[in-house]
Each structure stands twice: as structure tokens, then as C-alpha cells.
Amino acid sequence: MPRKQRMYLSGVPAHVVQHGNYRESCFFQDEDYQFYLAVLGDALRRYRMQLHAYVLMTKHVHLLMTPTDESGISRVMQACMFCM
């Protein structure tokens, strides 16, 4: 059974947590963090999102961002998914 679609409202900040596969480590060296931030920055610009705060931890990421439309967060997270 598929997961229910998440609802994000335009202009309302959302806290998003992204875990590595099976909650295993996804960042092993400094270059991994830098690559993730570069991909995230590109996606934020492409989908016109505001990033207010972030925390990159070894096994997961916390993001506080505000979408300009209802699909912005989903699109940004899809763009960053291959990094994890």
C-alpha cells in the first residue's frame, strides 16, 4: 500500500528529516557533506525554496524550509535523494 501524499502549504515553513537507507551512515568524509550541500543548493534555487536552517548529521539531515508552491519540498527532496 503506498504512503499517503504529504501536504505542504505554500509559504508555511516545514521541518523535513531525510535518513540514509536503513538509517545507515550517509556521510563518511567532508566531501560528502559538501556534495550534499551543493546538490541541495541547486535544487533550492531551481524550485524557488527558502532554506532557513539545516543540520547535517552522520546518518540523517534536518531541514527547515518554506516552499513557494505545494510541490516544492517534494521536488527538492527528490533531487537530493540520490545523495543519501
Side-chain angles (χ1 to χ4, degrees), residues 8-44:
Y8 299 109
L9 300 175
S10 176
V12 177
H15 173 230
V16 178
V17 179
Q18 184 179 25
H19 290 276
N21 291 334
Y22 306 107
R23 298 186 185 233
E24 293 178 358
S25 294
C26 44
F27 299 112
F28 299 96
Q29 50 191 336
D30 288 342
E31 291 80 17
D32 299 336
Y33 293 101
Q34 293 168 0
F35 178 73
Y36 182 87
L37 289 174
V39 172
L40 176 62
D42 290 343
L44 291 167

Side-chain angles (χ1 to χ4, degrees), residues 31-61:
E31 291 80 17
D32 299 336
Y33 293 101
Q34 293 168 0
F35 178 73
Y36 182 87
L37 289 174
V39 172
L40 176 62
D42 290 343
L44 291 167
R45 283 186 290 281
R46 181 180 307 142
Y47 299 113
R48 298 174 297 139
M49 297 276 298
Q50 294 178 344
L51 180 66
H52 306 291
Y54 67 90
V55 178
L56 304 181
M57 303 180 84
T58 306
K59 296 184 178 191
H60 64 285
V61 174

